[in-house]
Amino acid sequence: MTTETSPPDYGASRAALLAGPGPAGRPRRAALARLTDDWLAGLLAAGGPPGGPPGVALVAVGGYGRGELSPRSDLDVLLLHDGRLDPDLPERIWYPVWDAGAALDHSVRTVAEARSVAAADLKAQLGLLDARHLAGDQALTAALRSAVLTDWRASAPARLPELRDLGRERAERHGELSFLLEPDLKEARGGLRDAVALNAVAATWLADAPRDGLDAAALRLADVRDALHLATGRATERLGLQDQDQVAERLGVLDADTLLRQVYEAARTIAYASDVTWRAVDRVLAARSGRGRRAARLAFPFTGAGRGAGAVARGTVARRPLAEGVVEQDGEAVLAQGARPAADPVLPLRAAAAAAQNGLTVSYATVRRLAAECRPLPVPWPDEAREQLVTLLGAGEAAVPVWEALEAEGLVTRLLPDWERVRCRPQRNAVHRWTVDRHLVETAVRAAAMTRRVARPDLLLVAALLHDIGKGWPGDHSEAGEVIVRDVAARMGFGPEDTETLAVLVRHHLTLVDTATRRDPDDPATVEAITKVVGTAAQLELLHVLTEADALATGPAAWSGWRASLVDGLAARVAARLAGAYAAPVEAAPTAAQERLAVEAARTGGPALSLLAQSEGADPGAEPMGVELTLAVPDRPGLLGTVAGVLALHRLAVRSAGLRELDPIGAGPVLLLSWRVAAEFGELPEAARLRADLRRALDGSLDVARRLAERDAAAPRRRGIPTPPPVVAVAPAVASATATVLEVRAHDAPGLLHRIGRALDGAGVRVRTAHVSTLGAEAVDSFYLTDGAGRPLAAGRAGEVVAAVRAALG
């Protein structure tokens, strides 16, 4: 059904517009909205008066009402009437829309009904705030807009807290857009929905958001959403990993990482504007309720010398002194009346430190003024500047909103120019939950809770803030970071000795945990490797705490009771070595329980095992660190791969493995395997069932490889992400003087250790110990290998083993 004002084929016109060479972004969204406006106006007028039936108006609401229509957005349309509606009219409009394949969100109401629905449903009210006339009776639409705005402003004191709660609920469900690898562009914190909420707050006339960069940020997210709709052909808001390259290409962006950085920057702008706005709303509502006046009467005046950094302002607004040039006002840190930012380059850090230490943030106006008026710090920094930075970082969690405020106005990159390379930089690793810059801040937050454990908390906090600063440069980020931190430390005014300590901490911030989880702690070479890195007990103390803070700030997969125990044990050995009290450990004699298992295995010719939770016997409430599986089996070829396969069948993840040989009754060698395992899902299997399956696997009646292959084939196929090929290599000879250390890094998968074990068994080498760890989706395993005589492998033999394992991993 068409008229002179209605395009003959809306679907074809729409497709041509989206596929055409015309401008993208806001102009295309506006053109798509105009095309849709004309079409819907034609549908309203079809078969009747040119302007549509009397007493009826067609109104766009929500995103469509704002005149920006994304390629796959719903059409939010209200058929407004004065009570004299032809009952057939709605169907004459809606059915052609459905026939065209457009997604339609529609309603039919009078002005009174629309106001009633809005009063009961906040989301409906927000949509009506953007009402825009399409066709029909303009006076009716104007009456609706006027009434809705009047109602919104009248109900703002009650409605704004509800709107803020909606935002918090969305943030809890969808997370923070600026830290997600697959963000929801609309619903996550800092997304398009928050930008709409800020406009709704502005419409109350009670508060407004800081506008610098806000419109550009919302436009950037809308452009990305457009490209996502066109790339996927779906009305999706989630920027999935598999779509990011296509979206970047459509937008003319260098690559997916650059795209994410732009998305994160836009999201942070919106999120920061939201924080500032909601604090302003709180102040206004508190003043209206009288709480602000009561707080002012309870505040005390500043009686310092001169005009006073904390002089009380005129009227009822009270100020409390925090630091030189900084006072508290309305729950924020602001500049005192006598502050002179142009003559005080330390003032930004002093204000930030004072705010964080008092659990406040720095007001928006104050940060803006500091950014505009303060001169850069001299080089090297004055002692006070360095002390204020450490004070800020030492505030822990309270430092985060303060840091965000400084960063929003460019003060962080002014203090630390190298920060620009890590700002908003994504980390495409499932272990990491933050961008690089936020991870650095979070590491400092974690370190702030551990400062009592070190003699130099200032070095700990600065190292925490800078330990990954090299990730913005090519090559190994630890090596690049060492170069950067030497320069930064000198600019901050640290002396040569402290600068050297910071360089060691940044260069080796991964060394302690890597060595503890991938090397044999009983091998003297392991302790020697760390001793060469840290020359003093003070450096070891700092590195130990930095290691823990870094891991805790990375994500839950990066730290556990097991890793903590390994790092603590290695640190204790190195500390003893530095103190001259270290003696290389001698292999302990088997325990009575181990001897009993070995005797049982030798007598029966089959496996004997025990399962023991490692937290048993510890203090109540101790964190379980897995289960110790001790297995005694008469020696035979293919043992490691077979046992690993059975554990994989029972969905047991192996954390570490050790092996020793016993001859308890003189009847031949029995291998004693000590495995630390954890159940991937649910509870541990029964020991009797595990023993039975081991026995069947060892006598050949259970084909472990076939069972694992069948389980993998039966599992539902899911779209995965591209993963790099596995890396198999021999560690340098200094890793161990008594064994060849084979390192395997691969994407974790069920049966991975089984495949590696079968390859090692097939190569005829002996596995003395194995150190297995999984970080998120990545496995990092080390195997100490010897030949049959217990010696390290010859170079040629080691190369053959490497080739065999590579082949097994495909």
Side-chain angles (χ1 to χ4, degrees):
M1 187 183 308
T2 63
T3 70
E4 294 178 357
T5 62
S6 176
D9 188 338
Y10 170 75
S13 300
R14 177 182 176 280
L17 173 62
L18 296 177
R26 172 176 274 177
R28 181 172 60 193
R29 290 191 293 275
L32 182 57
R34 287 193 300 270
L35 175 68
T36 307
D37 293 352
D38 293 342
W39 178 49
L40 293 175
L43 293 178
L44 178 65
V56 174
L58 205 57
V59 182
V61 298
Y64 182 29
R66 291 187 292 275
E68 291 203 352
L69 202 56
S70 293
R72 294 285 175 175
S73 292
D74 291 354
L75 302 181
D76 295 333
V77 182
L78 166 64
L79 184 58
L80 194 64
H81 64 96
D82 62 2
R84 298 172 296 161
L85 181 68
D86 178 356
D88 295 331
L89 179 60
E91 291 185 357
R92 294 204 302 267
I93 300 173
W94 307 148
Y95 275 100
V97 176
W98 290 325
D99 290 343
L104 178 66
D105 188 354
H106 62 90
S107 58
V108 181
R109 294 187 179 111
T110 64
V111 172
E113 289 169 344
R115 294 177 69 185
S116 176
V117 170
D121 185 345
L122 176 59
K123 293 181 179 178
Q125 190 169 34
L126 294 174
L128 288 172
L129 289 175
D130 293 310
R132 179 172 60 87
H133 182 74
L134 296 179
D137 188 340
Q138 290 189 349
L140 201 57
T141 303
L144 173 69
R145 283 184 52 81
S146 177
V148 168
L149 280 171
T150 299
D151 293 344
W152 175 242
R153 287 163 186 157
S155 63
R159 274 293 164 102
L160 287 179
E162 186 181 352
L163 178 60
R164 179 175 50 195
D165 289 343
L166 280 178
R168 288 172 175 169
E169 291 170 6
R170 286 200 318 274
E172 290 176 0
R173 288 197 307 272
H174 299 281
E176 293 197 52
L177 198 159
S178 55
F179 304 123
L180 298 170
L181 280 177
E182 293 187 302
D184 188 307
L185 300 170
K186 185 175 183 180
E187 303 292 347
R189 181 175 183 267
L192 290 166
R193 189 79 78 181
D194 280 345
V196 173
L198 291 178
N199 290 333
V201 173
T204 66
W205 292 348
L206 296 180
D208 194 9
R211 290 289 160 181
D212 286 352
L214 185 58
D215 288 343
L219 282 175
R220 188 57 184 166
L221 294 185
D223 290 349
V224 174
R225 180 173 65 172
D226 284 2
L228 178 63
H229 284 187
L230 293 173
T232 62
R234 294 180 289 110
T236 180
E237 311 293 340
R238 185 170 298 280
L239 184 59
L241 290 172
Q242 70 275 11
D243 303 318
Q244 290 171 10
D245 287 323
Q246 296 179 64
V247 172
E249 183 178 357
R250 280 185 173 273
L251 293 172
V253 174
L254 178 62
D255 54 27
D257 275 5
T258 305
L259 171 68
L260 279 183
R261 289 193 77 177
Q262 293 180 356
V263 168
Y264 292 165
E265 288 170 352
R268 288 193 188 182
T269 298
I270 296 173
Y272 178 63
S274 297
D275 291 341
V276 171
T277 303
W278 286 116
R279 287 199 299 270
V281 168
D282 285 341
R283 288 194 297 272
V284 171
L285 296 183
R288 286 194 167 199
S289 68
R291 294 197 304 274
R293 289 189 294 273
R294 285 195 297 272
R297 287 196 297 270
L298 292 172
F300 56 88
F302 177 71
T303 57
R307 296 178 65 181
V312 179
R314 301 292 185 269
T316 62
V317 179
R319 293 184 165 203
R320 180 172 67 93
L322 298 177
E324 180 65 29
V326 188
V327 298
E328 176 187 353
Q329 176 181 308
D330 290 333
E332 295 180 322
V334 303
L335 294 184
Q337 291 176 343
R340 299 292 180 265
D344 190 356
V346 181
L347 187 55
L349 282 173
R350 191 186 310 123
Q357 287 291 330
N358 285 275
L360 308 172
T361 190
V362 185
S363 79
Y364 172 70
T366 295
V367 179
R368 296 271 294 174
R369 186 180 171 193
L370 291 171
E373 298 182 22
C374 280
R375 294 180 290 106
L377 284 167
V379 177
W381 290 8
D383 290 346
E384 186 199 356
R386 191 170 61 254
E387 291 165 2
Q388 295 293 351
L389 174 64
V390 171
T391 302
L392 167 62
L393 299 177
E397 289 283 354
V400 175
V402 176
W403 189 271
E404 290 176 340
L406 298 181
E407 192 169 47
E409 296 300 330
L411 284 167
V412 170
T413 50
R414 186 186 300 181
L415 292 167
L416 302 170
D418 297 286
W419 194 262
E420 180 60 31
R421 283 184 173 263
V422 297
R423 188 174 62 86
C424 294
R425 182 173 292 276
Q427 304 202 76
R428 293 186 177 276
N429 186 320
V431 176
H432 280 277
R433 61 177 299 189
W434 306 110
T435 53
V436 177
D437 58 337
R438 182 58 180 269
H439 168 69
L440 294 175
V441 175
E442 290 290 333
T443 304
V445 168
R446 296 288 188 168
M450 307 176 188
T451 51
R452 300 296 185 274
R453 293 164 50 181
V454 298
R456 289 294 303 275
D458 57 332
L459 297 181
L460 172 65
L461 292 169
V462 172
L465 183 69
L466 300 176
H467 73 278
D468 275 348
I469 198 71
K471 284 190 173 178
W473 294 84
D476 186 299
H477 77 278
S478 298
E479 295 177 1
E482 178 187 5
V483 176
I484 295 169
V485 82
R486 288 184 184 276
D487 175 64
V488 173
R491 283 191 278 118
M492 287 181 174
F494 284 105
E497 185 175 341
D498 289 347
T499 297
E500 183 62 31
T501 296
L502 288 170
V504 168
L505 295 176
V506 172
R507 173 68 180 86
H508 295 287
H509 67 272
L510 295 174
T511 300
L512 193 60
V513 68
D514 284 352
T515 304
T517 55
R518 301 173 194 175
R519 296 290 180 264
D520 184 353
D522 294 329
D523 192 324
T526 302
V527 174
E528 184 65 25
I530 302 300
T531 307
K532 290 179 178 178
V533 167
V534 292
T536 66
Q539 287 185 353
L540 174 65
E541 179 183 74
L542 288 165
L543 184 62
H544 187 183
V545 176
L546 176 60
T547 298
E548 183 176 344
D550 181 20
L552 288 171
T554 297
W559 196 246
S560 64
W562 164 66
R563 284 192 174 85
S565 67
L566 294 179
V567 170
D568 291 348
L570 179 56
R573 288 180 170 92
V574 175
R577 177 65 171 267
L578 291 172
Y582 174 77
V586 178
E587 185 175 42
T591 65
Q594 290 173 334
E595 286 188 336
R596 283 196 298 272
L597 290 175
V599 168
E600 180 184 348
R603 188 167 48 237
T604 63
L609 63 87
S610 69
L611 286 168
L612 178 67
Q614 288 191 287
S615 60
E616 289 184 12
D619 294 334
E623 178 189 358
M625 295 183 293
V627 171
E628 190 75 29
L629 166 62
T630 306
L631 175 66
V633 186
D635 194 8
R636 67 189 69 190
L639 188 62
L640 177 63
T642 299
V643 174
V646 173
L647 296 180
L649 279 178
H650 285 267
R651 300 192 183 280
L652 291 173
V654 179
R655 289 176 168 173
S656 66
L659 183 149
R660 66 189 301 178
E661 186 177 287
L662 301 176
D663 189 359
I665 59 176
V670 170
L671 295 183
L672 190 69
L673 296 93
S674 299
W675 301 74
R676 184 176 292 169
V677 300
E680 293 181 3
F681 309 106
E683 298 180 356
L684 293 165
E686 296 180 359
R689 183 181 173 191
L690 185 59
R691 184 185 297 107
D693 282 351
L694 282 168
R695 188 182 299 277
R696 293 170 56 213
L698 292 170
D699 67 21
S701 60
L702 174 63
D703 190 334
V704 176
R706 183 176 61 81
R707 285 281 302 277
L708 285 172
E710 289 174 349
R711 190 178 71 184
D712 290 346
R717 295 296 172 193
R718 294 183 175 88
R719 188 182 216 175
I721 60 173
T723 59
V727 174
V728 183
V730 173
V734 294
S736 175
T738 58
T740 296
V741 180
L742 181 74
E743 293 184 335
V744 180
R745 303 185 183 194
H747 192 71
D748 193 30
L752 177 67
L753 185 59
H754 167 63
R755 295 196 297 276
I756 297 172
R758 288 186 66 188
L760 296 177
D761 291 335
V765 295
R766 179 183 177 188
V767 180
R768 192 180 73 190
T769 57
H771 299 271
V772 180
S773 61
T774 304
L775 297 173
E778 297 301 309
V780 183
D781 303 340
S782 299
F783 302 88
Y784 281 67
L785 308 177
T786 65
D787 59 18
R791 298 185 300 260
L793 304 181
R797 187 82 177 90
E800 294 173 359
V801 174
V802 168
V805 175
R806 283 177 181 163
L809 298 181

